[in-house]
Amino acid sequence: MERQASVLLEVCVDSIQSAVNAEAGGANRLELCQALSEGGLTPSAGLLAVVKKAVSIPVFVLVRPRRGDFFYSDPEVEAMEIDIERLSEADGFVFGALKADGSVNESICRRLLAKSDGKPCVFHRAFDVSSGDAILVAKQIAALGFVRLLTSGRAKTAVEGIETIRKLLRESSGNLVIMPGSGVNPGNASIFASVGCEQVHASCKRPVGSAMVFRNECCAMGDEGEDEYTRFVTEGDIVKEIVNALR
Amino acid sequence: MERQASVLLEVCVDSIQSAVNAEAGGANRLELCQALSEGGLTPSAGLLAVVKKAVSIPVFVLVRPRRGDFFYSDPEVEAMEIDIERLSEADGFVFGALKADGSVNESICRRLLAKSDGKPCVFHRAFDVSSGDAILVAKQIAALGFVRLLTSGRAKTAVEGIETIRKLLRESSGNLVIMPGSGVNPGNASIFASVGCEQVHASCKRPVGSAMVFRNECCAMGDEGEDEYTRFVTEGDIVKEIVNALR
């Protein structure tokens, strides 16, 4: 049997350092966000501009105007449309929208796809909290014109959702790339290669201490209990280990 | 004795709904961010454009490219400069930068102030985790050209930092407005009016449930344990209560 070509690795990042480290470790593509702690939000124009200058791999941009569900108001959709227009340095866009009943909001998706100016668009994990048969929803997403689906197989992690991912790979519309994400790490990445995934998504991050010498630990900026002097940063060695596991 | 004029209330928001609610409740100004859970990050261009259209009060924009400390790399400063240029619909900007020893990074501040095109700039709570005498640092911030300082008096909350805030009001450079923020609520807002503050900063937010009817609770997008079907939203009634307490 012929040896399979390497599986492509997309790394989601929310800082310039993470972006640079991901490329150095061998990532094939970035998904650029802000605030991965919230599951990712739309990055600022400055962050995208500097990341595009710092790396040569493609940079897809998450378009998500706030945390929480994917049930968007009309002004929120308008903000997403403007972001797609203004983040024109992106190589593609990542979004998703649902109705209150959990079905895909085709009308919002069409509005956002129309703004993307022919650039490839990815339907993200809104799929994992959508209603209806997974295969039928994936076919619907493909028919709308998305090129790829980021999914944990509707489970907490992609490993837990592996049976649904396997089914999606087998039965969903031919042109839609099924890209597992959520909890993918060097220890489990090979599972996704073995079931036939062409692409995998991971953050490859680790807590990194601040370089601040002077500290006032009593002043947190964000949520209660957050350690302001530790950040999660994508590490090149983790990226490399996943790349190796996917060979 | 003559009755003092009302204290001005600035509300920090990270969604369109929060922005609209803040104005409806009587807020005098917005500080627009993304991800208040992380202490606020730079908002996207689309979010700013839609918020500017939705409200008529001034909108100041937070410029912070990632969570954590205020010790910025050169590419991060470059991203902040680009954001100030591209978020040109803002009425002013809010940022801060420190050196590893906790002193104010004057050179970064000057670069960002230069990009602001004469719009008012606010030094934010990086002050609260800075080193050196609070009064001297405030004088330094005023001398750099900032018009306002957002501070919790270097304590966890502005109520706990009230003595430092009082000292800053009395002794810091005349033109720098001292604006307390962190934990300001209807129950304690009058304290700040009574010590002579001209402006106060609060988020006025409350957890609000999602309108999603279909839910898959096992699929969180962000950090472990986050409830994806609850968001914190600024509420008009809380804004109103603070406005009344500040009269």
Side-chain angles (χ1 to χ4, degrees):
Chain A
M1 194 182 126
E2 229 181 348
R3 208 173 179 290
Q4 212 199 331
S6 278
V7 177
L8 186 152
L9 175 62
E10 173 178 283
V11 176
C12 57
V13 298
D14 65 0
S15 71
I16 299 163
Q17 191 57 56
S18 287
V20 170
N21 291 354
E23 180 172 64
N28 302 96
R29 189 201 299 127
L30 299 180
E31 184 201 60
L32 183 64
C33 313
Q34 269 178 188
L36 281 174
S37 65
E38 295 207 340
L41 299 172
T42 312
S44 75
L47 186 59
L48 174 61
V50 171
V51 165
K52 276 297 289 180
K53 226 170 63 173
V55 304
S56 54
I57 53 177
V59 180
F60 276 55
V61 160
L62 182 68
V63 182
R64 185 169 177 238
R66 55 149 175 82
R67 62 160 289 152
D69 63 48
F70 305 100
F71 183 57
Y72 294 120
S73 68
D74 204 66
E76 285 172 338
V77 178
E78 206 191 322
M80 294 165 88
E81 287 182 313
I82 294 170
D83 278 325
I84 290 175
E85 278 173 1
R86 300 215 190 157
L87 297 170
S88 57
E89 286 146 312
D91 297 290
F93 300 99
V94 184
F95 52 81
L98 302 178
K99 295 183 183 171
D101 66 3
S103 62
V104 171
N105 191 319
E106 294 201 342
S107 127
I108 293 179
C109 288
R110 283 206 192 89
R111 281 175 64 181
L112 299 177
L113 284 158
K115 285 285 170 192
S116 73
D117 203 24
K119 284 183 186 167
C121 292
V122 178
F123 197 96
H124 62 39
R125 295 188 58 224
F127 170 83
D128 293 320
V129 291
S130 70
S131 61
D133 178 75
I135 304 300
L136 293 180
V137 175
K139 283 186 198 293
Q140 183 186 16
I141 286 166
L144 280 163
F146 289 93
V147 299
R148 200 159 49 240
L149 170 61
L150 173 64
T151 177
S152 61
R154 289 184 166 171
K156 197 178 154 204
T157 66
V159 167
E160 290 170 71
I162 193 76
E163 277 319 310
T164 301
I165 289 167
R166 199 198 285 266
K167 222 171 125 187
L168 285 166
L169 286 164
R170 208 169 45 218
E171 298 180 43
S172 72
S173 180
N175 291 326
L176 188 72
V177 172
I178 305 299
M179 178 171 64
S182 186
V184 175
N185 61 47
N188 62 32
S190 64
I191 296 170
F192 303 101
S194 73
V195 299
C197 293
E198 296 166 34
Q199 306 196 12
V200 167
H201 172 103
S203 64
C204 309
K205 60 189 192 300
R206 183 186 285 144
V208 170
S210 162
M212 285 298 287
V213 175
F214 176 84
R215 299 185 178 201
N216 176 2
E217 310 265 0
C218 83
C219 264
M221 300 295 138
D223 280 354
E224 190 80 31
E226 288 287 322
D227 173 5
E228 303 285 333
Y229 293 104
T230 303
R231 301 204 293 279
F232 281 85
V233 179
T234 295
E235 293 286 9
D237 61 326
I238 305 178
V239 176
K240 207 168 184 174
E241 282 179 64
I242 296 189
V243 167
N244 288 335
L246 291 173
R247 268 207 189 111
Chain B
M1 195 181 125
E2 229 179 349
R3 211 172 174 291
Q4 210 197 330
S6 278
V7 177
L8 185 152
L9 175 62
E10 172 179 281
V11 176
C12 56
V13 298
D14 64 1
S15 72
I16 299 164
Q17 191 58 58
S18 287
V20 168
N21 292 354
E23 181 172 64
N28 302 95
R29 186 201 302 129
L30 298 181
E31 184 201 60
L32 183 65
C33 313
Q34 270 180 185
L36 281 174
S37 64
E38 295 207 341
L41 299 172
T42 312
S44 76
L47 186 60
L48 174 60
V50 172
V51 165
K52 276 296 291 181
K53 227 169 64 172
V55 305
S56 55
I57 53 177
V59 180
F60 275 55
V61 160
L62 182 68
V63 182
R64 185 171 177 236
R66 55 148 177 83
R67 60 162 288 153
D69 63 46
F70 305 99
F71 183 55
Y72 294 121
S73 68
D74 204 64
E76 285 173 338
V77 178
E78 207 191 319
M80 294 164 87
E81 286 181 314
I82 295 170
D83 278 326
I84 290 174
E85 277 173 2
R86 298 214 191 158
L87 297 170
S88 57
E89 285 148 312
D91 296 291
F93 300 98
V94 184
F95 51 82
L98 302 179
K99 295 182 184 172
D101 66 4
S103 62
V104 171
N105 191 319
E106 295 201 342
S107 128
I108 293 179
C109 289
R110 283 205 193 90
R111 280 173 64 181
L112 299 176
L113 286 158
K115 286 285 170 192
S116 74
D117 203 25
K119 284 182 186 169
C121 293
V122 178
F123 197 96
H124 62 38
R125 296 187 57 225
F127 171 83
D128 293 320
V129 290
S130 71
S131 61
D133 178 75
I135 304 301
L136 293 179
V137 175
K139 282 186 197 294
Q140 182 186 14
I141 286 166
L144 279 163
F146 289 94
V147 299
R148 197 157 54 238
L149 171 61
L150 172 64
T151 177
S152 62
R154 287 183 166 173
K156 197 176 153 207
T157 66
V159 168
E160 292 169 70
I162 193 75
E163 276 319 309
T164 300
I165 289 166
R166 198 198 286 266
K167 222 171 124 185
L168 284 166
L169 286 164
R170 208 169 44 219
E171 297 181 42
S172 70
S173 180
N175 290 327
L176 188 72
V177 172
I178 305 298
M179 176 171 65
S182 186
V184 175
N185 60 46
N188 62 31
S190 64
I191 296 170
F192 303 100
S194 73
V195 300
C197 292
E198 295 166 34
Q199 306 195 12
V200 167
H201 172 104
S203 62
C204 309
K205 61 189 189 303
R206 180 187 289 144
V208 171
S210 161
M212 284 300 286
V213 175
F214 176 84
R215 300 186 177 200
N216 176 1
E217 309 265 1
C218 82
C219 266
M221 301 294 137
D223 281 354
E224 191 81 31
E226 288 287 323
D227 173 5
E228 302 286 333
Y229 293 103
T230 303
R231 300 203 294 279
F232 280 84
V233 178
T234 295
E235 294 286 12
D237 61 328
I238 304 178
V239 175
K240 205 166 185 174
E241 281 178 64
I242 296 189
V243 167
N244 288 337
L246 291 173
R247 266 205 190 111

